[in-house]
Amino acid sequence: MAADPQIASAEEKTTNDISTAPGDAEEAYPPLEKVSIKDETGELAARAFLNGPDDPEVSRRVRRKIDMYILPFLCITYMLQFIDKTSLGYSSVYGIIADNKLVGQDYSWASSIFYFGYLVAEYPGVAILQRFPVAKFLGANIVLWGIILMTTAACSSFAGLATVRFLLGVTEATISPGFVAITGIWWTRQEQAGRSALWVSFLGAGSFVGTLIAYGIGHITGSLSPWKYIYLILGALTVLWGIVFFLFVPDSPTNVKWLTEDERVVAVQRIIVNKTGTKSRRFVKAQVIEAIQDPAVVILGLISFANATASGGLSFGSLIIQGFGFDPLTTTLMGLPLSSVQLVTQLSAGFLSSKLPGSRLHIATFAMIPPIIGTCLINNLETTNKWGRLTGVWLLGFYPIGFLVIVGLLSVNIAGSTKRSVASGWVFVCYCVGQISGPQFFKSTEAPAYHNGIIAMLCGFIINLVLNQVLRYVYVRENARRDRLLEGKSEEELQAMKRESELQGFEDVTDKDNVMFRYVL
């Protein structure tokens, strides 16, 4: 695929800028004989390298601005996405099953078909994300998904509901990979753990807020069924938020309005240490092959599948709780502790990951233990022990930590724009397949206990736990191999290699070909 003309222009300008570097910059960073910046930041990246290390105080000021102007958009959007895609679960106790004449496995398929749309749109969406402005594309998708969500209120049959759910999956497919890309553009590796944890934690916030909204809407006694108000209100809010997102979220440091020209340079300087650049719009076939053959990428996808298969069953969460003997409104309230557990544990995991180097996959491993205990409580306690079994449901709230860690590793452990796009697509395709599979283990004939469905969740959590440690071993072994390659090198040689490695992040070099790249554990 031919390179974008703008990129070619930026590369030419970048080379010229570096060749005429001022003396001070040359003292801080030795002049580079061969420069081929393919990153879309172009001239900014060149200036960032020539200016040398960023001033810590200025860097902190820029980081605060980035946190203030971008993080809230990621958090609120992720919360809305979770509320919207799980709205079927909320509406299940307010009449949507009866009004749409769902029988047998119809409800399971209505839940799963969202992820068929997600699956179909994933790779095309990721390709578009690489070629077009990230924030603008995501903003347009948010508006579209809000409109589609509102049309759910007009459904009166399985066919109509399934169609709308499929289209909803199509429009939401690029949100998570898009947010992974945005996180990599704006924050350093060390900062990404906490920031990713924050916006992913809004899954828990979304569950909490969505439960309260559903509880409030459940009291509406208008001319429509309560479940229809859920879709109309949530859809309208999403459309408005999508317009705000489109207008105010920048696509990259090159076009941000709330940073000065010098601060834009600092924004790029800050992420030089990532060795991943921001984004290149070119397509590299060799990087596709590398992603397919990378065992770490394959394992990331398998972890995503196991985690999603287990979490797919939570679309039946309201029905499971209702099966303990609670009425619809109380069932909704009993979901609040689960939401609280999700929120607190994800924020805690993000905090620990940012403070304890090499802890991410260990944290993800230990996070699978409470859900394993929870599924055992649900399945093995007497049916009369509804509070014990309800406690088991609440313990399931630890499982999203596994997803949080996957999202973080996608951003920090994969370099090369095409490779990262392919890997991201693979991980979220596996996520879709898991989400499709999970609800199918919940047979209507087993309601309300859903014994086999709970066992499927248990298997997913155990597989997730094991694969976390397998992936960590792969990363540790590769880091050790690379360390051995540096034995006998002088300090000057190591500094030169480090400098070249940082530049390679903006030359669209993959993690495999960057000898100084080290994988976060």
Side-chain angles (χ1 to χ4, degrees), residues 70-398:
I70 295 181
L71 262 182
F73 282 98
L74 303 185
C75 293
I76 294 174
T77 303
Y78 220 62
M79 179 180 71
L80 280 174
Q81 185 198 30
F82 184 81
I83 294 172
D84 291 353
K85 76 179 181 181
T86 57
S87 54
L88 185 65
Y90 300 130
S91 59
S92 66
V93 295
Y94 289 114
I96 193 172
I97 294 176
D99 288 356
N100 283 268
K101 308 173 188 65
L102 305 184
V103 295
Q105 291 296 103
D106 285 353
Y107 178 79
S108 294
W109 280 112
S111 176
S112 293
I113 204 165
F114 170 92
Y115 292 99
F116 279 100
Y118 202 114
L119 183 64
V120 168
E122 188 60 41
Y123 267 115
V126 168
I128 293 172
L129 279 173
Q130 186 181 353
R131 295 291 298 172
F132 293 94
V134 176
K136 297 296 179 288
F137 178 67
L138 293 179
N141 270 279
I142 295 169
V143 172
L144 284 174
W145 109 47
I147 293 171
I148 292 169
L149 191 70
M150 293 178 71
T151 63
T152 309
C155 295
S156 59
S157 66
F158 171 73
L161 183 62
T163 301
V164 170
R165 292 282 297 172
F166 179 88
L167 294 174
L168 191 63
V170 169
T171 55
E172 293 193 28
T174 53
I175 300 300
S176 291
F179 281 14
V180 170
I182 289 173
T183 303
I185 288 172
W186 293 101
W187 288 283
T188 67
R189 278 179 145 197
Q190 185 67 21
E191 295 164 354
Q192 285 176 31
R195 273 63 180 186
S196 294
L198 185 60
W199 58 259
V200 172
S201 73
F202 271 69
L203 289 170
S207 180
F208 193 90
V209 173
T211 298
L212 291 177
I213 290 175
Y215 180 76
I217 294 175
H219 287 82
I220 295 178
T221 56
S223 58
L224 301 176
S225 298
W227 68 268
K228 294 187 178 184
Y229 288 110
I230 291 176
Y231 289 102
L232 291 172
I233 293 171
L234 292 179
L237 289 174
T238 301
V239 170
L240 292 175
W241 181 252
I243 294 171
V244 174
F245 192 102
F246 184 92
L247 294 175
F248 293 103
V249 178
D251 296 298
S252 77
T254 59
N255 59 9
V256 60
K257 296 179 180 179
W258 35 262
L259 292 177
T260 66
E261 185 64 27
D262 289 339
E263 286 175 336
R264 293 176 191 174
V265 175
V266 173
V268 177
Q269 280 180 304
R270 283 172 21 84
I271 54 100
I272 286 175
V273 295
N274 292 355
K275 303 182 180 70
T276 56
T278 61
K279 189 180 82 168
S280 171
R281 298 188 183 185
R282 68 188 196 125
F283 175 83
V284 183
K285 183 179 178 180
Q287 291 190 17
V288 175
I289 297 172
E290 182 178 324
I292 294 171
Q293 295 177 341
D294 190 333
V297 172
V298 174
I299 295 171
L300 276 171
L302 295 178
I303 294 173
S304 179
F305 170 76
N307 188 270
T309 300
S311 68
L314 281 186
S315 59
F316 283 77
S318 296
L319 294 176
I320 291 171
I321 294 174
Q322 188 177 44
F324 295 161
F326 298 105
D327 62 66
L329 289 177
T330 305
T331 293
T332 303
L333 285 179
M334 289 300 103
L336 287 176
L338 173 62
S339 306
S340 302
V341 170
Q342 289 178 333
L343 179 60
V344 173
T345 55
Q346 287 171 53
L347 288 175
S348 300
F351 176 78
L352 290 174
S353 296
S354 63
K355 297 299 180 183
L356 302 175
S359 66
R360 295 192 192 194
L361 285 163
H362 281 328
I363 289 171
T365 298
F366 285 114
M368 293 302 110
I369 296 175
I372 289 172
I373 295 172
T375 51
C376 292
L377 291 177
I378 296 169
N379 250 6
N380 294 300
L381 290 179
E382 295 293 334
T383 55
T384 54
N385 188 355
K386 66 179 181 180
W387 290 105
R389 299 176 73 200
L390 186 59
T391 300
V393 173
W394 294 339
L395 287 175
L396 301 181
F398 281 78

